[in-house]
PDB file of all heavy atoms in Angstrom:
ATOM      1  N   ILE A1099       0.840  -1.203   0.000  1.00 92.00           N
ATOM      2  CA  ILE A1099       0.000   0.000   0.000  1.00 92.00           C
ATOM      3  C   ILE A1099       0.872   1.249   0.000  1.00 92.00           C
ATOM      4  O   ILE A1099       1.862   1.323   0.729  1.00 92.00           O
ATOM      5  CB  ILE A1099      -0.909   0.022   1.242  1.00 92.00           C
ATOM      6  CG1 ILE A1099      -1.839  -1.189   1.251  1.00 92.00           C
ATOM      7  CG2 ILE A1099      -1.714   1.311   1.298  1.00 92.00           C
ATOM      8  CD1 ILE A1099      -2.677  -1.294   2.509  1.00 92.00           C
ATOM      9  N   ILE A1100       0.475   2.221  -0.815  1.00 90.00           N
ATOM     10  CA  ILE A1100       1.087   3.558  -0.771  1.00 90.00           C
ATOM     11  C   ILE A1100       0.149   4.400   0.084  1.00 90.00           C
ATOM     12  O   ILE A1100      -0.910   4.841  -0.364  1.00 90.00           O
ATOM     13  CB  ILE A1100       1.244   4.159  -2.178  1.00 90.00           C
ATOM     14  CG1 ILE A1100       2.116   3.263  -3.040  1.00 90.00           C
ATOM     15  CG2 ILE A1100       1.833   5.563  -2.091  1.00 90.00           C
ATOM     16  CD1 ILE A1100       2.161   3.675  -4.499  1.00 90.00           C
ATOM     17  N   ILE A1101       0.496   4.575   1.349  1.00 85.00           N
ATOM     18  CA  ILE A1101      -0.400   5.228   2.303  1.00 85.00           C
ATOM     19  C   ILE A1101      -0.571   6.718   1.995  1.00 85.00           C
ATOM     20  O   ILE A1101      -1.581   7.322   2.355  1.00 85.00           O
ATOM     21  CB  ILE A1101       0.082   4.980   3.750  1.00 85.00           C
ATOM     22  CG1 ILE A1101      -1.076   5.060   4.736  1.00 85.00           C
ATOM     23  CG2 ILE A1101       1.151   5.946   4.153  1.00 85.00           C
ATOM     24  CD1 ILE A1101      -1.990   3.889   4.705  1.00 85.00           C
ATOM     25  N   GLN A1102       0.397   7.337   1.301  1.00 86.00           N
ATOM     26  CA  GLN A1102       0.292   8.757   0.963  1.00 86.00           C
ATOM     27  C   GLN A1102      -0.709   8.984  -0.168  1.00 86.00           C
ATOM     28  O   GLN A1102      -1.184  10.092  -0.359  1.00 86.00           O
ATOM     29  CB  GLN A1102       1.661   9.311   0.546  1.00 86.00           C
ATOM     30  CG  GLN A1102       2.686   9.333   1.633  1.00 86.00           C
ATOM     31  CD  GLN A1102       3.455   8.019   1.741  1.00 86.00           C
ATOM     32  OE1 GLN A1102       3.175   7.061   1.044  1.00 86.00           O
ATOM     33  NE2 GLN A1102       4.425   7.985   2.634  1.00 86.00           N
ATOM     34  N   ASP A1103      -1.019   7.941  -0.913  1.00 89.00           N
ATOM     35  CA  ASP A1103      -1.954   8.022  -2.028  1.00 89.00           C
ATOM     36  C   ASP A1103      -3.384   7.898  -1.489  1.00 89.00           C
ATOM     37  O   ASP A1103      -3.633   7.179  -0.521  1.00 89.00           O
ATOM     38  CB  ASP A1103      -1.646   6.887  -3.011  1.00 89.00           C
ATOM     39  CG  ASP A1103      -2.455   6.967  -4.277  1.00 89.00           C
ATOM     40  OD1 ASP A1103      -2.779   8.086  -4.703  1.00 89.00           O
ATOM     41  OD2 ASP A1103      -2.767   5.905  -4.837  1.00 89.00           O
ATOM     42  N   TRP A1104      -4.345   8.548  -2.122  1.00 91.00           N
ATOM     43  CA  TRP A1104      -5.727   8.537  -1.666  1.00 91.00           C
ATOM     44  C   TRP A1104      -6.289   7.119  -1.667  1.00 91.00           C
ATOM     45  O   TRP A1104      -6.934   6.697  -0.707  1.00 91.00           O
ATOM     46  CB  TRP A1104      -6.567   9.461  -2.546  1.00 91.00           C
ATOM     47  CG  TRP A1104      -7.984   9.558  -2.076  1.00 91.00           C
ATOM     48  CD1 TRP A1104      -8.446  10.344  -1.072  1.00 91.00           C
ATOM     49  CD2 TRP A1104      -9.101   8.843  -2.581  1.00 91.00           C
ATOM     50  NE1 TRP A1104      -9.800  10.159  -0.909  1.00 91.00           N
ATOM     51  CE2 TRP A1104     -10.227   9.231  -1.840  1.00 91.00           C
ATOM     52  CE3 TRP A1104      -9.278   7.911  -3.593  1.00 91.00           C
ATOM     53  CZ2 TRP A1104     -11.496   8.735  -2.077  1.00 91.00           C
ATOM     54  CZ3 TRP A1104     -10.545   7.412  -3.822  1.00 91.00           C
ATOM     55  CH2 TRP A1104     -11.634   7.825  -3.067  1.00 91.00           C
ATOM     56  N   ASN A1105      -6.052   6.353  -2.745  1.00 93.00           N
ATOM     57  CA  ASN A1105      -6.557   4.982  -2.821  1.00 93.00           C
ATOM     58  C   ASN A1105      -5.903   4.091  -1.768  1.00 93.00           C
ATOM     59  O   ASN A1105      -6.556   3.228  -1.183  1.00 93.00           O
ATOM     60  CB  ASN A1105      -6.337   4.385  -4.206  1.00 93.00           C
ATOM     61  CG  ASN A1105      -7.349   4.873  -5.211  1.00 93.00           C
ATOM     62  OD1 ASN A1105      -8.464   5.220  -4.844  1.00 93.00           O
ATOM     63  ND2 ASN A1105      -6.966   4.911  -6.467  1.00 93.00           N
ATOM     64  N   GLY A1106      -4.629   4.284  -1.537  1.00 92.00           N
ATOM     65  CA  GLY A1106      -3.924   3.505  -0.529  1.00 92.00           C
ATOM     66  C   GLY A1106      -4.447   3.779   0.866  1.00 92.00           C
ATOM     67  O   GLY A1106      -4.645   2.866   1.670  1.00 92.00           O
ATOM     68  N   LYS A1107      -4.691   5.037   1.148  1.00 93.00           N
ATOM     69  CA  LYS A1107      -5.224   5.411   2.461  1.00 93.00           C
ATOM     70  C   LYS A1107      -6.615   4.821   2.654  1.00 93.00           C
ATOM     71  O   LYS A1107      -6.964   4.341   3.730  1.00 93.00           O
ATOM     72  CB  LYS A1107      -5.253   6.923   2.606  1.00 93.00           C
ATOM     73  CG  LYS A1107      -5.658   7.379   3.971  1.00 93.00           C
ATOM     74  CD  LYS A1107      -5.474   8.855   4.133  1.00 93.00           C
ATOM     75  CE  LYS A1107      -5.863   9.247   5.540  1.00 93.00           C
ATOM     76  NZ  LYS A1107      -5.038  10.265   6.091  1.00 93.00           N
ATOM     77  N   ARG A1108      -7.422   4.842   1.594  1.00 95.00           N
ATOM     78  CA  ARG A1108      -8.777   4.281   1.667  1.00 95.00           C
ATOM     79  C   ARG A1108      -8.735   2.773   1.910  1.00 95.00           C
ATOM     80  O   ARG A1108      -9.483   2.240   2.732  1.00 95.00           O
ATOM     81  CB  ARG A1108      -9.543   4.590   0.393  1.00 95.00           C
ATOM     82  CG  ARG A1108     -11.032   4.308   0.538  1.00 95.00           C
ATOM     83  CD  ARG A1108     -11.792   4.711  -0.672  1.00 95.00           C
ATOM     84  NE  ARG A1108     -11.588   3.642  -1.649  1.00 95.00           N
ATOM     85  CZ  ARG A1108     -11.860   3.724  -2.931  1.00 95.00           C
ATOM     86  NH1 ARG A1108     -12.315   4.839  -3.419  1.00 95.00           N
ATOM     87  NH2 ARG A1108     -11.655   2.719  -3.734  1.00 95.00           N
ATOM     88  N   LYS A1109      -7.819   2.042   1.221  1.00 94.00           N
ATOM     89  CA  LYS A1109      -7.667   0.597   1.436  1.00 94.00           C
ATOM     90  C   LYS A1109      -7.281   0.310   2.885  1.00 94.00           C
ATOM     91  O   LYS A1109      -7.833  -0.595   3.521  1.00 94.00           O
ATOM     92  CB  LYS A1109      -6.577   0.020   0.527  1.00 94.00           C
ATOM     93  CG  LYS A1109      -6.976  -0.215  -0.882  1.00 94.00           C
ATOM     94  CD  LYS A1109      -5.808  -0.867  -1.611  1.00 94.00           C
ATOM     95  CE  LYS A1109      -5.948  -0.768  -3.093  1.00 94.00           C
ATOM     96  NZ  LYS A1109      -4.775  -1.300  -3.785  1.00 94.00           N
ATOM     97  N   TYR A1110      -6.336   1.081   3.394  1.00 94.00           N
ATOM     98  CA  TYR A1110      -5.862   0.916   4.765  1.00 94.00           C
ATOM     99  C   TYR A1110      -7.001   1.129   5.769  1.00 94.00           C
ATOM    100  O   TYR A1110      -7.209   0.324   6.675  1.00 94.00           O
ATOM    101  CB  TYR A1110      -4.716   1.906   5.013  1.00 94.00           C
ATOM    102  CG  TYR A1110      -4.149   1.880   6.392  1.00 94.00           C
ATOM    103  CD1 TYR A1110      -3.238   0.901   6.768  1.00 94.00           C
ATOM    104  CD2 TYR A1110      -4.506   2.849   7.329  1.00 94.00           C
ATOM    105  CE1 TYR A1110      -2.705   0.885   8.050  1.00 94.00           C
ATOM    106  CE2 TYR A1110      -3.976   2.839   8.606  1.00 94.00           C
ATOM    107  CZ  TYR A1110      -3.077   1.848   8.963  1.00 94.00           C
ATOM    108  OH  TYR A1110      -2.556   1.832  10.221  1.00 94.00           O
ATOM    109  N   GLU A1111      -7.773   2.189   5.577  1.00 95.00           N
ATOM    110  CA  GLU A1111      -8.875   2.491   6.484  1.00 95.00           C
ATOM    111  C   GLU A1111      -9.984   1.443   6.406  1.00 95.00           C
ATOM    112  O   GLU A1111     -10.591   1.093   7.417  1.00 95.00           O
ATOM    113  CB  GLU A1111      -9.432   3.881   6.194  1.00 95.00           C
ATOM    114  CG  GLU A1111      -8.475   4.985   6.612  1.00 95.00           C
ATOM    115  CD  GLU A1111      -8.903   6.367   6.167  1.00 95.00           C
ATOM    116  OE1 GLU A1111      -9.863   6.480   5.358  1.00 95.00           O
ATOM    117  OE2 GLU A1111      -8.286   7.341   6.618  1.00 95.00           O
ATOM    118  N   LYS A1112     -10.248   0.903   5.201  1.00 95.00           N
ATOM    119  CA  LYS A1112     -11.257  -0.136   5.049  1.00 95.00           C
ATOM    120  C   LYS A1112     -10.851  -1.417   5.766  1.00 95.00           C
ATOM    121  O   LYS A1112     -11.681  -2.095   6.371  1.00 95.00           O
ATOM    122  CB  LYS A1112     -11.507  -0.431   3.569  1.00 95.00           C
ATOM    123  CG  LYS A1112     -12.377   0.603   2.874  1.00 95.00           C
ATOM    124  CD  LYS A1112     -12.560   0.306   1.413  1.00 95.00           C
ATOM    125  CE  LYS A1112     -13.494  -0.850   1.216  1.00 95.00           C
ATOM    126  NZ  LYS A1112     -13.794  -1.085  -0.214  1.00 95.00           N
ATOM    127  N   MET A1113      -9.579  -1.765   5.710  1.00 94.00           N
ATOM    128  CA  MET A1113      -9.093  -2.957   6.402  1.00 94.00           C
ATOM    129  C   MET A1113      -9.262  -2.800   7.914  1.00 94.00           C
ATOM    130  O   MET A1113      -9.723  -3.720   8.591  1.00 94.00           O
ATOM    131  CB  MET A1113      -7.628  -3.222   6.058  1.00 94.00           C
ATOM    132  CG  MET A1113      -7.383  -3.633   4.624  1.00 94.00           C
ATOM    133  SD  MET A1113      -8.081  -5.227   4.222  1.00 94.00           S
ATOM    134  CE  MET A1113      -6.930  -6.303   5.046  1.00 94.00           C
ATOM    135  N   LEU A1114      -8.905  -1.634   8.443  1.00 95.00           N
ATOM    136  CA  LEU A1114      -9.052  -1.397   9.879  1.00 95.00           C
ATOM    137  C   LEU A1114     -10.521  -1.412  10.293  1.00 95.00           C
ATOM    138  O   LEU A1114     -10.881  -1.953  11.342  1.00 95.00           O
ATOM    139  CB  LEU A1114      -8.396  -0.079  10.279  1.00 95.00           C
ATOM    140  CG  LEU A1114      -6.876  -0.007  10.121  1.00 95.00           C
ATOM    141  CD1 LEU A1114      -6.374   1.360  10.550  1.00 95.00           C
ATOM    142  CD2 LEU A1114      -6.187  -1.109  10.904  1.00 95.00           C
ATOM    143  N   ALA A1115     -11.389  -0.836   9.461  1.00 96.00           N
ATOM    144  CA  ALA A1115     -12.820  -0.803   9.774  1.00 96.00           C
ATOM    145  C   ALA A1115     -13.435  -2.202   9.734  1.00 96.00           C
ATOM    146  O   ALA A1115     -14.408  -2.467  10.440  1.00 96.00           O
ATOM    147  CB  ALA A1115     -13.543   0.114   8.794  1.00 96.00           C
ATOM    148  N   ALA A1116     -12.857  -3.107   8.950  1.00 94.00           N
ATOM    149  CA  ALA A1116     -13.370  -4.472   8.838  1.00 94.00           C
ATOM    150  C   ALA A1116     -12.858  -5.378   9.951  1.00 94.00           C
ATOM    151  O   ALA A1116     -13.136  -6.573   9.956  1.00 94.00           O
ATOM    152  CB  ALA A1116     -12.993  -5.056   7.474  1.00 94.00           C
ATOM    153  N   GLY A1117     -12.096  -4.834  10.892  1.00 93.00           N
ATOM    154  CA  GLY A1117     -11.649  -5.614  12.035  1.00 93.00           C
ATOM    155  C   GLY A1117     -10.238  -6.160  11.933  1.00 93.00           C
ATOM    156  O   GLY A1117      -9.805  -6.921  12.792  1.00 93.00           O
ATOM    157  N   TRP A1118      -9.503  -5.799  10.896  1.00 94.00           N
ATOM    158  CA  TRP A1118      -8.124  -6.241  10.754  1.00 94.00           C
ATOM    159  C   TRP A1118      -7.216  -5.356  11.611  1.00 94.00           C
ATOM    160  O   TRP A1118      -7.492  -4.181  11.796  1.00 94.00           O
ATOM    161  CB  TRP A1118      -7.681  -6.143   9.290  1.00 94.00           C
ATOM    162  CG  TRP A1118      -8.384  -7.099   8.375  1.00 94.00           C
ATOM    163  CD1 TRP A1118      -9.566  -6.881   7.736  1.00 94.00           C
ATOM    164  CD2 TRP A1118      -7.959  -8.401   8.003  1.00 94.00           C
ATOM    165  NE1 TRP A1118      -9.900  -7.973   6.981  1.00 94.00           N
ATOM    166  CE2 TRP A1118      -8.924  -8.925   7.127  1.00 94.00           C
ATOM    167  CE3 TRP A1118      -6.852  -9.182   8.318  1.00 94.00           C
ATOM    168  CZ2 TRP A1118      -8.814 -10.198   6.573  1.00 94.00           C
ATOM    169  CZ3 TRP A1118      -6.748 -10.439   7.755  1.00 94.00           C
ATOM    170  CH2 TRP A1118      -7.716 -10.941   6.903  1.00 94.00           C
ATOM    171  N   THR A1119      -6.136  -5.919  12.117  1.00 95.00           N
ATOM    172  CA  THR A1119      -5.132  -5.141  12.835  1.00 95.00           C
ATOM    173  C   THR A1119      -3.807  -5.259  12.085  1.00 95.00           C
ATOM    174  O   THR A1119      -3.552  -6.255  11.404  1.00 95.00           O
ATOM    175  CB  THR A1119      -4.933  -5.644  14.282  1.00 95.00           C
ATOM    176  OG1 THR A1119      -4.568  -7.017  14.242  1.00 95.00           O
ATOM    177  CG2 THR A1119      -6.185  -5.472  15.106  1.00 95.00           C
ATOM    178  N   VAL A1120      -2.964  -4.255  12.203  1.00 95.00           N
ATOM    179  CA  VAL A1120      -1.666  -4.251  11.526  1.00 95.00           C
ATOM    180  C   VAL A1120      -0.667  -4.985  12.421  1.00 95.00           C
ATOM    181  O   VAL A1120      -0.420  -4.575  13.552  1.00 95.00           O
ATOM    182  CB  VAL A1120      -1.181  -2.809  11.252  1.00 95.00           C
ATOM    183  CG1 VAL A1120       0.186  -2.824  10.588  1.00 95.00           C
ATOM    184  CG2 VAL A1120      -2.181  -2.070  10.391  1.00 95.00           C
ATOM    185  N   ASP A1121      -0.116  -6.089  11.908  1.00 93.00           N
ATOM    186  CA  ASP A1121       0.902  -6.830  12.660  1.00 93.00           C
ATOM    187  C   ASP A1121       2.259  -6.160  12.523  1.00 93.00           C
ATOM    188  O   ASP A1121       2.938  -5.926  13.507  1.00 93.00           O
ATOM    189  CB  ASP A1121       1.004  -8.273  12.185  1.00 93.00           C
ATOM    190  CG  ASP A1121      -0.056  -9.150  12.816  1.00 93.00           C
ATOM    191  OD1 ASP A1121      -0.723  -8.705  13.762  1.00 93.00           O
ATOM    192  OD2 ASP A1121      -0.209 -10.294  12.364  1.00 93.00           O
ATOM    193  N   HIS A1122       2.659  -5.892  11.298  1.00 92.00           N
ATOM    194  CA  HIS A1122       3.906  -5.157  11.088  1.00 92.00           C
ATOM    195  C   HIS A1122       3.933  -4.543   9.700  1.00 92.00           C
ATOM    196  O   HIS A1122       3.159  -4.916   8.830  1.00 92.00           O
ATOM    197  CB  HIS A1122       5.145  -6.024  11.357  1.00 92.00           C
ATOM    198  CG  HIS A1122       5.272  -7.204  10.460  1.00 92.00           C
ATOM    199  ND1 HIS A1122       4.643  -8.388  10.704  1.00 92.00           N
ATOM    200  CD2 HIS A1122       5.981  -7.387   9.327  1.00 92.00           C
ATOM    201  CE1 HIS A1122       4.944  -9.262   9.753  1.00 92.00           C
ATOM    202  NE2 HIS A1122       5.737  -8.680   8.906  1.00 92.00           N
ATOM    203  N   ILE A1123       4.831  -3.591   9.535  1.00 92.00           N
ATOM    204  CA  ILE A1123       4.986  -2.846   8.288  1.00 92.00           C
ATOM    205  C   ILE A1123       6.431  -2.994   7.831  1.00 92.00           C
ATOM    206  O   ILE A1123       7.354  -2.818   8.619  1.00 92.00           O
ATOM    207  CB  ILE A1123       4.663  -1.355   8.489  1.00 92.00           C
ATOM    208  CG1 ILE A1123       3.243  -1.191   9.029  1.00 92.00           C
ATOM    209  CG2 ILE A1123       4.849  -0.577   7.201  1.00 92.00           C
ATOM    210  CD1 ILE A1123       2.948   0.199   9.537  1.00 92.00           C
ATOM    211  N   VAL A1124       6.607  -3.319   6.546  1.00 90.00           N
ATOM    212  CA  VAL A1124       7.950  -3.409   5.966  1.00 90.00           C
ATOM    213  C   VAL A1124       8.100  -2.240   4.997  1.00 90.00           C
ATOM    214  O   VAL A1124       7.502  -2.234   3.922  1.00 90.00           O
ATOM    215  CB  VAL A1124       8.150  -4.752   5.224  1.00 90.00           C
ATOM    216  CG1 VAL A1124       9.549  -4.821   4.639  1.00 90.00           C
ATOM    217  CG2 VAL A1124       7.878  -5.920   6.147  1.00 90.00           C
ATOM    218  N   PRO A1125       8.869  -1.212   5.377  1.00 88.00           N
ATOM    219  CA  PRO A1125       9.030  -0.063   4.483  1.00 88.00           C
ATOM    220  C   PRO A1125       9.893  -0.415   3.277  1.00 88.00           C
ATOM    221  O   PRO A1125      10.774  -1.275   3.358  1.00 88.00           O
ATOM    222  CB  PRO A1125       9.710   0.985   5.359  1.00 88.00           C
ATOM    223  CG  PRO A1125      10.319   0.244   6.473  1.00 88.00           C
ATOM    224  CD  PRO A1125       9.566  -1.038   6.635  1.00 88.00           C
ATOM    225  N   ARG A1126       9.632   0.232   2.179  1.00 83.00           N
ATOM    226  CA  ARG A1126      10.403   0.041   0.950  1.00 83.00           C
ATOM    227  C   ARG A1126      11.226   1.278   0.677  1.00 83.00           C
ATOM    228  O   ARG A1126      10.703   2.391   0.695  1.00 83.00           O
ATOM    229  CB  ARG A1126       9.480  -0.238  -0.235  1.00 83.00           C
ATOM    230  CG  ARG A1126       8.703  -1.503  -0.094  1.00 83.00           C
ATOM    231  CD  ARG A1126       9.617  -2.677  -0.323  1.00 83.00           C
ATOM    232  NE  ARG A1126       8.875  -3.913  -0.169  1.00 83.00           N
ATOM    233  CZ  ARG A1126       9.386  -5.010   0.326  1.00 83.00           C
ATOM    234  NH1 ARG A1126      10.626  -5.033   0.729  1.00 83.00           N
ATOM    235  NH2 ARG A1126       8.669  -6.087   0.434  1.00 83.00           N
ATOM    236  N   ALA A1127      12.485   1.091   0.403  1.00 76.00           N
ATOM    237  CA  ALA A1127      13.378   2.227   0.193  1.00 76.00           C
ATOM    238  C   ALA A1127      13.268   2.782  -1.227  1.00 76.00           C
ATOM    239  O   ALA A1127      13.291   3.989  -1.428  1.00 76.00           O
ATOM    240  CB  ALA A1127      14.815   1.813   0.475  1.00 76.00           C
ATOM    241  N   LEU A1128      13.136   1.917  -2.213  1.00 75.00           N
ATOM    242  CA  LEU A1128      13.179   2.372  -3.601  1.00 75.00           C
ATOM    243  C   LEU A1128      11.812   2.688  -4.190  1.00 75.00           C
ATOM    244  O   LEU A1128      11.718   3.427  -5.153  1.00 75.00           O
ATOM    245  CB  LEU A1128      13.889   1.333  -4.469  1.00 75.00           C
ATOM    246  CG  LEU A1128      15.347   1.075  -4.077  1.00 75.00           C
ATOM    247  CD1 LEU A1128      15.934  -0.011  -4.968  1.00 75.00           C
ATOM    248  CD2 LEU A1128      16.174   2.339  -4.190  1.00 75.00           C
ATOM    249  N   SER A1129      10.761   2.112  -3.634  1.00 75.00           N
ATOM    250  CA  SER A1129       9.431   2.445  -4.134  1.00 75.00           C
ATOM    251  C   SER A1129       8.648   3.115  -3.019  1.00 75.00           C
ATOM    252  O   SER A1129       9.006   3.051  -1.854  1.00 75.00           O
ATOM    253  CB  SER A1129       8.702   1.184  -4.609  1.00 75.00           C
ATOM    254  OG  SER A1129       8.367   0.375  -3.508  1.00 75.00           O
ATOM    255  N   ARG A1130       7.554   3.746  -3.376  1.00 80.00           N
ATOM    256  CA  ARG A1130       6.763   4.452  -2.374  1.00 80.00           C
ATOM    257  C   ARG A1130       5.900   3.508  -1.555  1.00 80.00           C
ATOM    258  O   ARG A1130       5.463   3.851  -0.472  1.00 80.00           O
ATOM    259  CB  ARG A1130       5.876   5.480  -3.073  1.00 80.00           C
ATOM    260  CG  ARG A1130       6.678   6.600  -3.683  1.00 80.00           C
ATOM    261  CD  ARG A1130       5.838   7.557  -4.506  1.00 80.00           C
ATOM    262  NE  ARG A1130       4.475   7.729  -4.044  1.00 80.00           N
ATOM    263  CZ  ARG A1130       3.473   8.068  -4.827  1.00 80.00           C
ATOM    264  NH1 ARG A1130       3.663   8.248  -6.102  1.00 80.00           N
ATOM    265  NH2 ARG A1130       2.274   8.221  -4.343  1.00 80.00           N
TER     266      ARG A1130
END
């Protein structure tokens, strides 16, 4: 997910609203 992008933020918020929790995040250096 590109959280800075509108679609990415919407996907992230929908997952949280559906009861999912974030276990961990792996940042990418070369891509957003």
Side-chain angles (χ1 to χ4, degrees):
I1099 299 175
I1100 301 172
I1101 206 74
Q1102 294 87 356
D1103 186 32
W1104 184 81
N1105 282 332
K1107 186 171 182 143
R1108 193 176 79 194
K1109 281 184 197 175
Y1110 178 80
E1111 289 172 350
K1112 282 178 74 175
M1113 292 293 286
L1114 295 180
W1118 293 87
T1119 57
V1120 178
D1121 278 349
H1122 62 275
I1123 302 167
V1124 180
R1126 297 286 179 214
L1128 298 178
S1129 70
R1130 292 174 32 207

